């Protein structure tokens, strides 16, 4: 018999709808039950593509013995972390404070007043390998609640107070300068793995914010670190050489075996990162990786509505990586004996295997140079094996659409059109923006989640900020001013709902949210830039297009607010340091007057788009209605490019060669 989760929209919650656990979704019914019965809350937080979440479900949440203990002693609540990042952030901080580490599935025990008192991540049903068993743990917690409730409540109040103290941000007096960026670069040099690329030991995550910062501000030696990392990620097994796109991370230090889930946010940001590398170096392989990653988004994650789904699972048929790994016999079956053997040599498919059950992860770094395939043949064989692979049972997909992650995809696609010139990317970006406005913009407010025609959950800071920046990128790709105007309306909503006018920066949630014990002001950059990083970038870039001083000051407030933290732990704020770099460097504005669709304007725009120019602002218009085009007319049949650095503007030019001279 299904439980209450069967009425949910979240694919993650629906995965647990037939558990014998008496699950509640997070909401007033569950919270009122806990208060009324004075039972502790067992809060389980995870996400659809999480491998160990699936393991804990099979072992524990489908186990009648576990369900009996949970149902008798706790109000059990299941939360999709992707729908409620505010709850995930708050209680992850609690778990990390209690245990020194975090991750998913996250298991937290709360008082009816929502204060945490115990937590962890994955628990096996019975004790093993030094991990406490879930059933004995539940029994001990229930006993403590019955027999020493005052002690538990005291511990909970103390932990809640400590979390609030840790979350407090003491604003600085001034915006920090170049010294914090240099300190971060020094830390990245220290942590660089010269052999395999990347920064730090296994498991290795794709640190796109580190690479972007290095490409913008690093020395020639630093740039070599960034490019080595991009090459290693592409050559290894974390990159899907058949279908494009990247897995979440590598479990080893050499990027060979991935944790196979594929997330929209990773792939959007990595596509943009490889586009930057392509602009900075002109090396075709970076453009190819960006193109194949964007094509993966269009082929496998795009919803018919125009938005993009959240993720694909690591597991298929109950087994991690089964969809992605191969034996030599399977490759020969797909491609034929001769081509199959050549592909195996080029992509590391061996009889011994590099993964479980004698299968191999497709990768490039262990091949001999003599095994390289000609480019056309390489592409044809990869495509042939991809089509054969598509006959397998695909991993599960989380098909909900999130505003913030779609904002990142919007940026990546718009930039993909700018750099690669493929009109499919502009069309997809326009359709994505139209979807967000049609389905998630309600009465002047942005919602976060959409699935199967239904939208819900008020948007958080990260949602509005990511969409604003995506709209700026979309404007700079297609030059429809309607997108700038919507970005302006969204930005004004962010100021009204989330800004801290006294101390600077932004809270992640609105004031007065009853189901949070306090508001957080997110600053640390993780797999996704923090809400404040996204806001600083969005407000700074939009301020330069619209010449809005209040938007510029909002971005400055973020830098001032987190200035002391940037000085103490610069490597924890690589995305925010990238935004700070935009604020510190002399602004470069390129305004092209003329019909954006004309050949003459397109030739000038191409000269800008092919260059790596961090922080540049580009606009094109045939009228003088936007601030960057005021008093900048043009003779009929001619396009004029106006280039300004800081407060100094050059004489307008008409040819790509003249524009190239100014940009150099």
């Amino acid at each position: 018999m299904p439980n209450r989760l069967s009425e949910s929209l979240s694919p993650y919650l629906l995965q647990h709808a037939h558990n014998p656990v008496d699950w509640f979704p997070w909401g007033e019914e569950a919270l009122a039950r806990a208060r009324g019965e004075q039972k502790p809350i067992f809060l389980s937080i995870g996400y659809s593509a999480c491998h160990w979440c699936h393991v804990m479900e099979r072992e524990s949440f489908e186990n009648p013995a576990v369900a009996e203990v949970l149902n008798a002693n706790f109000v059990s609540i299941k939360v999709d972390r992707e729908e409620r990042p505010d709850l995930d952030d708050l209680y992850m901080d609690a778990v990390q404070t209690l245990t020194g580490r975090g991750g998913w599935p996250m298991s937290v025990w709360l008082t009816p007043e929502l204060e945490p008192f115990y937590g962890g991540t994955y628990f096996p049903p019975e004790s093993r390998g030094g991990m406490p068993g879930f059933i004995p743990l539940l029994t001990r917690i229930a006993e403590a609640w019955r027999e020493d409730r005052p002690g538990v409540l005291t511990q909970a109040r103390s932990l809640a107070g400590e979390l609030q103290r840790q979350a407090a941000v003491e604003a600085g007096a001034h915006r920090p300068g170049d010294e914090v960026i240099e300190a971060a670069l020094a830390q990245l040099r220290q942590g660089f793995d010269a052999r395999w690329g990347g920064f730090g030991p296994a498991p290795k995550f794709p640190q796109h914010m580190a690479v972007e910062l290095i490409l913008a501000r690093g020395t020639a030696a630093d740039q070599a670190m960034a490019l080595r990392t991009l090459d290693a990620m592409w050559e290894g097994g974390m990159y899907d050489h058949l279908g494009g796109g990247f897995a979440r991370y590598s479990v080893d230090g050499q990027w060979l075996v991935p944790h196979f889930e594929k997330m929209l946010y990773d792939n959007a940001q990595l596509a943009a990162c490889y586009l930057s590398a392509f602009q900075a170096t002109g090396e075709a392989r970076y453009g190819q990786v960006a193109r194949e990653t964007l094509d993966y988004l269009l082929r496998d994650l795009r919803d018919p509505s125009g938005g993009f789904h959240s993720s694909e699972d690591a597991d298929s048929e109950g087994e991690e990586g089964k969809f992605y790994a191969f034996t030599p016999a399977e490759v020969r079956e797909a491609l034929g004996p001769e081509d199959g053997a050549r592909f195996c040599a080029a992509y590391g498919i061996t009889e011994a295997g590099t993964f479980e059950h004698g299968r191999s992860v497709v990768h490039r770094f262990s091949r001999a140079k003599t095994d390289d395939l000609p480019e056309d043949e390489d592409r044809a064989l990869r495509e042939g094996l991809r089509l054969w692979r598509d006959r397998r049972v695909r991993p599960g997909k989380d098909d909900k659409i999130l505003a913030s992650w779609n904002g990142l995809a919007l940026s990546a696609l718009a930039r993909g059109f700018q750099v690669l010139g493929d009109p499919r990317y502009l069309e997809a970006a326009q359709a994505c923006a139209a979807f967000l406005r049609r389905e998630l913009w309600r009465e002047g407010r942005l919602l976060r989640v959409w699935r199967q025609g239904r939208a819900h959950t008020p948007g958080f800071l990260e949602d509005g900020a990511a969409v604003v920046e995506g709209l700026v990128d979309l404007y700079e790709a297609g030059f429809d001013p309607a997108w700038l105007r919507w970005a302006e309306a969204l930005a004004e909503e962010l100021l009204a709902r989330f800004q801290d006018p006294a101390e600077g920066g932004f809270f992640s949630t609105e004031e007065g949210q009853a189901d949070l014990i306090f508001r957080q002001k997110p600053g640390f950059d993780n797999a996704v830039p923090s809400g404040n990083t996204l806001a600083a970038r969005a407000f700074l870039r939009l301020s330069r297009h619209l010449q809005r001083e209040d938007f510029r000051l909002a971005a400055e407030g973020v830098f001032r607010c987190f200035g002391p933290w940037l000085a103490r732990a610069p490597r924890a704020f690589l995305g925010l340091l990238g935004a700070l770099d935009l604020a510190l460097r002399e602004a470069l504005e390129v305004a092209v007057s003329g019909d954006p669709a004309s050949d003459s304007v397109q030739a000038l725009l191409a000269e800008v788009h092919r260059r790596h120019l961090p922080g540049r602002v580009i606009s094109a218009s045939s009228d003088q209605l936007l601030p960057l085009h005021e008093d900048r007319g043009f003779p009929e049949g001619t396009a004029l490019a106006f280039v300004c650095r800081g407060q100094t503007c050059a004489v307008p030019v008409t040819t790509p060669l003249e524009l190239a001279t100014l940009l150099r």
Side-chain angles (χ1 to χ4, degrees):
M1 182 176 178
N3 55 49
R4 294 173 188 82
L5 301 185
S6 63
E7 299 177 6
S8 175
L9 275 181
S10 161
Y12 173 64
L13 268 57
L14 290 171
Q15 288 169 1
H16 295 76
H18 293 273
N19 296 164
V21 177
D22 186 19
W23 288 116
F24 288 80
W26 183 275
E28 183 52 33
E29 181 187 3
L31 304 185
R33 172 74 66 90
R35 291 191 300 267
E37 298 183 0
Q38 280 301 293
K39 280 185 176 180
I41 292 168
F42 168 62
L43 176 62
S44 176
I45 301 181
Y47 59 103
S48 175
C50 166
H51 171 69
W52 284 100
C53 299
H54 302 329
V55 173
M56 192 164 177
E57 182 193 13
R58 289 195 299 268
E59 292 181 341
S60 293
F61 301 141
E62 293 179 354
N63 184 329
V66 171
E68 183 178 359
V69 179
L70 279 171
N71 296 344
N73 297 285
F74 303 91
V75 174
S76 299
I77 302 179
K78 177 66 72 173
V79 166
D80 184 336
R81 68 174 292 260
E82 296 167 356
E83 290 188 344
R84 290 296 303 266
D86 55 336
L87 296 174
D88 183 58
D89 288 345
L90 174 61
Y91 293 115
M92 181 63 76
D93 286 347
V95 169
Q96 289 175 329
T97 299
L98 287 165
T99 69
R101 62 188 183 87
W104 299 276
M106 179 161 55
S107 305
V108 199
W109 285 263
L110 318 177
T111 69
E113 288 70 42
L114 309 184
E115 294 178 332
F117 61 88
Y118 192 81
T121 55
Y122 161 80
F123 294 102
E126 301 294 342
S127 301
R128 68 168 185 252
M131 289 184 288
F134 196 48
I135 292 177
L137 180 63
L138 290 171
T139 303
R140 288 199 301 273
I141 292 173
E143 288 174 355
W145 183 256
R146 286 194 305 269
E147 298 171 8
D148 185 24
R149 189 173 305 180
V152 173
L153 294 175
T154 298
Q155 179 180 331
R157 282 193 293 271
S158 174
L159 177 57
E162 173 62 16
L163 293 174
Q164 192 157 9
R165 186 194 67 77
Q166 291 178 10
V169 181
E170 185 177 341
H174 307 286
R175 179 184 72 185
D178 293 308
E179 69 282 352
V180 292
I181 296 177
E182 291 304 319
L185 292 173
Q187 290 183 349
L188 289 171
R189 292 177 198 122
Q190 235 178 3
F192 179 62
D193 181 343
R195 181 178 183 189
W196 295 110
F199 303 91
K204 282 187 174 174
F205 288 81
Q207 296 193 32
H208 32 75
M209 284 175 264
V211 172
E212 291 273 20
L213 183 65
I214 289 171
L215 292 176
R217 284 292 295 262
T219 65
D222 296 336
Q223 304 255 340
M225 293 192 309
L227 299 177
R228 172 66 185 124
T229 298
L230 293 179
D231 285 338
M233 288 195 300
W234 164 61
E235 290 179 332
M238 204 178 79
Y239 184 65
D240 183 355
H241 294 273
L242 306 185
F246 289 84
R248 179 70 196 93
Y249 64 89
S250 172
V251 301
D252 54 62
Q254 60 187 28
W255 308 102
L256 174 57
V257 177
H259 199 41
F260 290 90
E261 69 245 42
K262 294 167 82 171
M263 314 300 294
L264 174 61
Y265 60 78
D266 279 324
N267 284 287
Q269 293 177 98
L270 282 166
C273 193
Y274 279 86
L275 288 169
S276 294
F278 180 49
Q279 289 174 308
T281 66
E283 294 288 345
R285 64 185 179 279
Y286 301 128
Q288 173 191 325
V289 173
R291 184 184 299 277
E292 291 176 357
T293 301
L294 293 174
D295 287 350
Y296 161 69
L297 299 188
L298 296 186
R299 185 186 62 245
D300 293 336
L301 291 186
R302 192 180 186 194
D303 190 88
S305 66
F308 288 86
H309 299 153
S310 295
S311 63
E312 288 192 296
D313 211 322
D315 298 9
S316 55
E317 300 180 82
E319 192 175 323
E320 184 182 11
K322 186 172 184 178
F323 181 75
Y324 295 101
F326 291 89
T327 63
E330 289 170 331
V331 176
R332 290 192 297 268
E333 178 187 339
L335 301 178
E338 187 176 334
D339 285 343
R342 298 178 68 214
F343 186 91
C344 287
Y347 282 93
I349 314 297
T350 65
E351 295 294 342
T354 55
F355 188 54
E356 299 166 353
H357 310 301
R359 293 172 296 168
S360 294
V361 178
V362 180
H363 69 279
R364 296 173 61 94
F365 67 73
S366 66
R367 76 198 185 286
K369 282 295 182 186
T370 54
D371 292 324
D372 273 352
L373 298 169
E375 184 177 340
D376 289 347
E377 185 179 354
D378 178 85
R379 187 183 304 112
L381 291 179
R382 286 190 294 127
E383 178 66 3
L385 190 55
R386 181 187 72 80
L387 293 172
W388 187 88
R389 185 182 74 176
D390 282 348
R391 290 161 24 200
R392 291 175 165 176
V393 176
R394 289 194 70 90
K397 181 191 287 186
D398 188 329
D399 61 354
K400 71 176 178 289
I401 294 173
L402 300 174
S404 62
W405 297 6
N406 273 256
L408 298 174
L410 182 54
S411 285
L413 289 161
R415 288 196 55 205
F417 170 72
Q418 294 171 35
V419 178
L420 303 175
D422 190 328
R424 294 178 305 137
Y425 302 146
L426 178 59
E427 291 162 6
Q430 291 167 334
C432 180
F435 164 84
L436 293 169
R437 178 154 192 154
R438 181 180 68 249
E439 301 293 344
L440 291 173
W441 180 242
R442 302 284 173 82
E443 299 176 351
R445 291 200 163 193
L446 187 70
L447 299 179
R448 175 171 176 82
V449 187
W450 183 94
R451 184 171 184 262
Q452 296 181 349
R454 293 165 58 191
H456 64 91
T457 306
F460 301 98
L461 169 65
E462 67 176 57
D463 294 299
V467 172
V468 168
E469 185 167 36
L471 292 171
V472 173
D473 282 311
L474 178 56
Y475 171 74
E476 293 186 343
F479 303 106
D480 180 348
W483 299 124
L484 273 189
R485 295 307 177 195
W486 186 34
E488 185 175 27
L490 274 166
E492 289 171 347
E493 181 200 7
L494 291 178
L495 289 179
R497 293 174 60 200
F498 300 103
Q499 189 183 31
D500 181 350
E503 296 293 318
F506 294 83
F507 295 103
S508 61
T509 56
E510 291 185 80
E511 192 172 10
Q513 195 167 315
D515 60 355
L516 288 177
I517 56 177
F518 61 86
R519 292 171 92 189
Q520 290 187 297
K521 192 180 281 188
F524 293 111
D525 294 309
N526 293 303
V528 176
S530 75
N532 273 282
T533 291
L534 291 166
R537 288 195 324 223
F539 276 100
L540 185 62
R541 294 182 63 194
L542 193 58
S543 74
R544 291 175 175 176
H545 273 286
L546 300 179
Q547 304 293 291
R548 293 249 331 227
E549 181 67 4
D550 58 336
F551 288 176
R552 186 191 68 81
L553 290 175
E556 291 287 330
V558 174
F559 302 134
R560 179 175 56 82
C561 176
F562 289 96
W565 283 19
L566 291 177
R568 287 197 295 269
R571 194 171 161 181
F573 297 88
L574 296 177
L576 188 55
L577 290 176
L580 176 63
D581 172 56
L582 302 185
L584 293 174
R585 67 174 60 237
E586 192 174 49
L588 171 63
E589 297 173 356
V590 182
V592 181
S593 292
D595 179 0
S598 68
D599 290 343
S600 55
V601 169
Q602 287 296 315
L604 293 169
L605 295 175
E607 194 59 45
V608 180
H609 290 323
R610 73 182 184 85
R611 298 170 180 274
H612 185 238
L613 302 168
R616 64 99 179 98
V617 176
I618 185 167
S619 184
S621 180
S622 57
D623 57 43
Q624 300 178 51
L625 300 179
L626 290 171
L628 293 184
H629 293 274
E630 289 178 4
D631 301 320
R632 288 177 169 176
F634 58 100
E636 188 174 348
T638 305
L640 286 179
F642 297 81
V643 179
C644 300
R645 292 183 185 274
Q647 305 303 312
T648 303
C649 296
V651 173
V653 298
T654 60
T655 70
L657 183 60
E658 292 172 311
L659 179 56
T661 301
L662 292 179
L663 296 177
R664 280 197 295 268

